[in-house]
Structures are given as C-alpha cells and as structure tokens.
Amino acid sequence: MNASTVRRIVTADGSATLFSERYAQAFASQRGALAESQEVFLGGSGIVGRLAEGRPVRVLEVGFGTGLNFFVTAGACLAHPEAKLAYTALEHHLLPAEAVSALGYGALLSADMVTHYLEWRADLREASGTHTFKRDRVRLELLLGDAPKQVLPANTFDTVYHDGFSPDVNPELWTEAFLGRLVSALAEGGTLVSYCVQGAVRRRLAALGLVVSKRPGPVGGKREVLFSRKPASRKAGP
Ligand SMILES: C[S@@+](CC[C@H](N)C(=O)[O-])C[C@H]1O[C@@H](n2cnc3c(N)ncnc32)[C@H](O)[C@@H]1O
C-alpha cells in the first residue's frame, strides 16, 4: 500500500485514521478510532485487566495497519510497572511511516513509544519476514506477508485482535481455515475479539470450538462487537 492509496480522516471522537482507497474502507471505526481501539480491543479482550494485574501479556493482531491498537495496548502496559507485553502483528502492506506520523498518535498516546517506533520504521525497508521492535517492557514482532501463509505458534496468545477489513472486501482473513489457525494459536482461556459480528464469522468461530457472543460496542460506535473465548480443555479425572 503506498501513500497515494490512503488518505487521512478524522473520526467522530477526534482521533485520526486512514481511509484505504483500495479496500474502500477506513482502517478503524469512523465513529471513533481511539474509542474502538480502547474498548473493542484493549478492553473487550480482557487484556487491560491482565496488564493492570502486572501479568505478562501476549497479543496477536490480524492487520497491523496504522499501529493504533499496538500503541494503545503498549500504553496500557507501561502504565503498570510490573506488566510486560509481547505483541505479534500480521501485515502484508506496511504503511509509509510519514502517513502514520501524520496521524498524531504521539500527542494522543505514548509520545516516547510512537517516536521510537517511527524511527525504527523509517529504517525498515523489507516487505516480508519477521521484524522486531523493543522499547522498555514492550516487544513488537511484525510478521510481514500474507497473513494466511504465516506460521503461528500453537496455544500461545492471550488474545487475538482480529482487525482485518470486513469479510466482503478482505475474505482471506475470515475463512474457516485461517480462523482455525488463529484459534490454534490462542492459549486456553484466551479471547478473540473483533468489531465484526457477521453471522457467518460467528458460526465459523463457534464451529472451531470458541464460545462466541456479541457485546455492546462503544458509546456512539458500533451497536455490537464480537467477543469469543477458547475454553479450557477438560483434564482427565484421576
Ligand atoms: C482494518 S485495517 C487494520 C487497522 C489497524 N489495526 C489499525 O489500528 O490501524 C486491516 C489491515 O489488514 C491488512 N491486511 C489485509 N489483508 C491482509 C492479508 N491477507 N495479510 C496481511 N495483512 C492484511 C491491511 O493491509 C490493513 O492494514
């Protein structure tokens, strides 16, 4: 994705995001990009609570985009002195660093994290492979390339933030096969959250063994958002 295929927009809560001409969709809710990130992903996944308890957290994000969900989650981690965050993100087209810089997330969130991330990004030229950024107690692994082709570790992540574009324009991120790989990558008790509540997606996740529900979305945002959890496997009795 190059700078000419995205344009900056300001969403209803005053935070900015990008609009993709290629997918004809915004990268985040136009009713509030920051609110969506804080409430659907960080809050909805339960990760905010784990970080507040000072527990190490492992997040897998589908669709890194502008990095807003990462910055929000990293900020929540650094607010708690004992917390540690390992954040793995899948992305096939890294946005130009200047397009991300123009969103002003440094002023809105952790300026230190955003500044160092953008410096790191300015030197990153590859379009594939795994690339690691570290700052303080936060580690980001960017897995560049087609998400369904990535190899993911099993039973690892405390949550999956599924933030692909919608299934009608970005179908490869919502197939039963790819969702199955995400479910395998979740640790027992882990959550998979998304803004997308399409019935077909919910049925696929339920068929893959997740306990799936719809929850109220952010005030002024989507009416309902997706929450699902991987149940703990039953241990055999004595
Ligand atoms: C809705 S945007 C993500 C928004 C992002 N989480 C943010 O906070 O800005 C969806 C992202 O998924 C990426 N994407 C779409 N199809 C993909 C694929 N097959 N493999 C990897 N990334 C993909 C797009 O490039 C885009 O960055």
Side-chain angles (χ1 to χ4, degrees):
M1 208 170 296
N2 60 46
S4 63
T5 62
V6 292
R7 63 185 157 83
R8 182 182 186 277
I9 58 171
V10 176
T11 70
D13 66 2
S15 58
T17 189
L18 296 172
F19 186 90
S20 164
E21 304 296 352
R22 175 178 168 187
Y23 290 95
Q25 270 177 26
F27 278 65
S29 172
Q30 301 199 46
R31 302 177 200 166
L34 182 60
E36 176 183 70
S37 185
Q38 289 171 326
E39 294 179 40
V40 180
F41 294 105
L42 176 65
S45 61
I47 289 305
V48 71
R50 283 182 78 100
L51 291 169
E53 289 165 10
R55 295 157 76 188
V57 162
R58 292 153 303 177
V59 175
L60 173 64
E61 177 171 39
V62 179
F64 184 74
T66 65
L68 178 59
N69 291 334
F70 167 66
F71 298 133
V72 164
T73 308
C77 172
L78 296 182
H80 299 287
E82 306 297 321
K84 267 170 84 175
L85 174 65
Y87 196 103
T88 301
L90 310 180
E91 179 55 59
H92 64 170
H93 294 137
L94 266 190
L95 290 162
E98 317 79 66
V100 177
S101 172
L103 298 174
Y105 290 154
L108 207 60
L109 298 157
S110 161
D112 175 80
M113 185 64 66
V114 176
T115 306
H116 282 89
Y117 165 78
L118 287 172
E119 281 171 15
W120 174 77
R121 265 300 313 281
D123 294 332
L124 181 60
R125 306 259 175 257
E126 288 83 352
S128 62
T130 300
H131 304 279
T132 306
F133 164 75
K134 276 199 214 156
R135 183 81 187 149
D136 208 332
R137 289 169 281 117
V138 173
R139 177 188 166 96
L140 167 68
E141 272 202 339
L142 269 182
L143 271 54
L144 299 183
D146 190 24
K149 298 201 178 111
Q150 299 291 352
V151 177
L152 301 172
N155 298 316
T156 297
F157 298 97
D158 302 305
T159 195
V160 172
Y161 292 172
H162 197 319
D163 202 11
F165 290 112
S166 65
D168 48 329
V169 297
N170 206 183
E172 76 273 19
L173 298 185
W174 305 92
T175 62
E176 186 157 351
F178 181 59
L179 293 175
R181 310 234 347 260
L182 300 178
V183 171
S184 302
L186 267 182
E188 285 185 9
T191 58
L192 183 152
V193 291
S194 180
Y195 68 88
C196 173
V197 285
Q198 264 195 19
V201 170
R202 286 186 285 122
R203 285 190 291 279
R204 278 171 211 153
L205 291 172
L208 289 162
L210 297 197
V211 179
V212 182
S213 58
K214 291 191 275 185
R215 291 190 168 175
V219 175
K222 280 202 74 175
R223 199 162 55 85
E224 291 177 317
V225 297
L226 180 88
F227 174 82
S228 58
R229 185 184 292 282
K230 184 172 183 174
S233 60
R234 289 208 194 96
K235 301 269 183 291

